[in-house]
Amino acid sequence: MKHRILLMVAAAAFLVGCGDPDIDITNSEYEEKIVVEGYLYPTKAVRNIKLTRNFELNTLVDPSEVILTPSNNKVVASINDAPLVFDSRTGTYFTDDFIPEYNKAYRLKVSAEIDGQELYTECETITPAEGFKVINKNLGTIKYREGDPVIEFNTSPGTDFYAFSYRAENATVENFIYDNPYVPDLKPEDIEEDFDDFLYQLDLMINVESDRDETIKHKLSGLDMWFYSDYTVIVYAGDQNFRDYTLTVKNVQEPDGNFVEPEFYFEGDGIGIFGSAITDEVKFNLVK
């Protein structure tokens, strides 16, 4: 199962302001960073660990220099001392030396050379405990805005964060829900311009009390469904790294103008996300 996470690591340095909402961040000092986007899923092979770099603002970026590779950047990477192997076809790293287990700590270590600088970073994730499982995996056919479709799932003990990634499988401009009650008077050209914003939706549950295995019900919202289409909802029971990164990565400026870093949990010269989650899926067909 291919897991698509709709949260991308920003490939620029995150900066700290001084309380001025009009601060010129182009004057801030640039520092080379190892940018990580990696997730572990218990019982599933370790794949798609992305190691890239940041760039100084207002510079021309050579796409061939974005991905960190063993040949160009002397990358040495491992998880719990199991070496990560570079896949030149996908531009990502993987290992077949182990399969992640439930409720276990995994430490990523990466060293790389960027612009002549020797950089190093570490980060640890603790995978969620066993228990999370979607109960009703196929909701069948659902009529738009009739009733309250519900996803039911069992929680993972100790995991208080659950994310719901909605994907319309056969979305087109033609089957967009133009008579939705949320954004009226949209035209096809409006949909084309912001198509991905409507296509991919993310919903969150936080601070879920799950000290024991229990059943949770989560209502589907019309704000997450913009097409008459078959849908797949990937549900994530995420660890603390996953949770805090998701909640902070888009909130990098406070009301007083201060720029703040998202929660990265990396030691040394790293930014981004190294987290873990248990996943499951729900499918349904949304009709008029």
Side-chain angles (χ1 to χ4, degrees):
M1 178 172 57
K2 182 178 181 181
H3 305 290
R4 180 158 189 162
I5 296 179
L6 310 179
L7 312 165
M8 300 304 294
V9 176
F14 288 86
L15 309 168
V16 178
C18 301
D20 179 3
D22 297 320
I23 186 171
D24 181 7
I25 62 174
T26 60
N27 291 330
S28 300
E29 184 177 352
Y30 163 73
E31 294 182 0
E32 293 86 355
K33 294 290 185 180
I34 298 171
V35 183
V36 179
E37 183 185 349
Y39 298 87
L40 301 183
Y41 304 98
T43 75
K44 303 185 185 302
V46 178
R47 294 291 186 270
N48 300 318
I49 306 296
K50 298 180 181 179
L51 302 179
T52 58
R53 58 162 296 180
N54 63 342
F55 290 87
E56 192 170 6
L57 292 172
N58 300 321
T59 59
L60 185 63
V61 176
D62 184 347
S64 67
E65 296 180 356
V66 175
I67 298 174
L68 300 180
T69 67
S71 58
N72 294 337
N73 305 98
K74 302 179 181 178
V75 173
V76 177
S78 65
I79 298 177
N80 284 11
D81 298 324
L84 295 183
V85 179
F86 181 67
D87 183 346
S88 59
R89 182 181 59 85
T90 63
T92 62
Y93 289 79
F94 72 94
T95 182
D96 290 322
D97 287 356
F98 70 92
I99 298 295
E101 302 174 15
Y102 295 104
N103 197 28
K104 184 174 179 178
Y106 293 92
R107 179 166 289 272
L108 171 73
K109 299 179 180 180
V110 183
S111 64
E113 183 179 288
I114 300 177
D115 294 339
Q117 303 290 322
E118 296 288 343
L119 305 183
Y120 178 80
T121 189
E122 294 186 21
C123 187
E124 183 175 87
T125 179
I126 300 177
T127 54
E130 187 173 7
F132 168 71
K133 181 179 65 174
V134 170
I135 297 172
N136 50 344
K137 298 181 186 295
N138 193 326
L139 302 182
T141 298
I142 296 174
K143 287 191 175 183
Y144 184 61
R145 293 186 58 77
E146 287 192 11
D148 293 309
V150 172
I151 296 175
E152 295 185 60
F153 61 93
N154 292 334
T155 61
S156 287
T159 298
D160 67 355
F161 174 78
Y162 297 84
F164 304 80
S165 173
Y166 292 72
R167 184 179 68 230
E169 298 292 0
N170 48 349
T172 67
V173 173
E174 287 73 24
N175 62 12
F176 183 82
I177 305 174
Y178 288 97
D179 58 346
N180 75 83
Y182 309 107
V183 188
D185 303 322
L186 288 172
K187 298 178 174 58
E189 52 267 30
D190 300 323
I191 310 309
E192 290 178 350
E193 182 177 355
D194 299 316
F195 192 80
D196 283 353
D197 292 336
F198 290 110
L199 178 60
Y200 300 116
Q201 299 293 321
L202 182 68
D203 190 12
L204 307 175
M205 293 183 70
I206 60 175
N207 300 325
V208 176
E209 294 185 5
S210 55
D211 291 333
R212 59 183 177 81
D213 188 21
E214 59 181 317
T215 300
I216 297 290
K217 296 183 178 181
H218 181 70
K219 291 183 180 180
L220 281 66
S221 168
L223 285 168
D224 296 315
M225 298 175 289
W226 294 93
F227 301 87
Y228 294 118
S229 168
D230 292 321
Y231 278 82
T232 299
V233 181
I234 302 177
V235 189
Y236 300 85
D239 78 322
Q240 182 176 352
N241 296 13
F242 194 140
R243 166 199 162 107
D244 291 345
Y245 177 79
T246 304
L247 295 177
T248 63
V249 69
K250 291 187 177 181
N251 300 314
V252 295
Q253 188 172 19
E254 296 179 332
D256 64 358
N258 280 319
F259 286 90
V260 293
E261 286 190 348
E263 290 286 355
F264 287 143
Y265 292 109
F266 281 86
E267 301 172 19
D269 306 307
I271 58 175
I273 172 66
F274 178 61
S276 57
I278 306 171
T279 67
D280 208 341
E281 289 188 352
V282 176
K283 293 183 180 293
F284 61 90
N285 176 242
L286 187 67
V287 299
K288 191 169 183 176

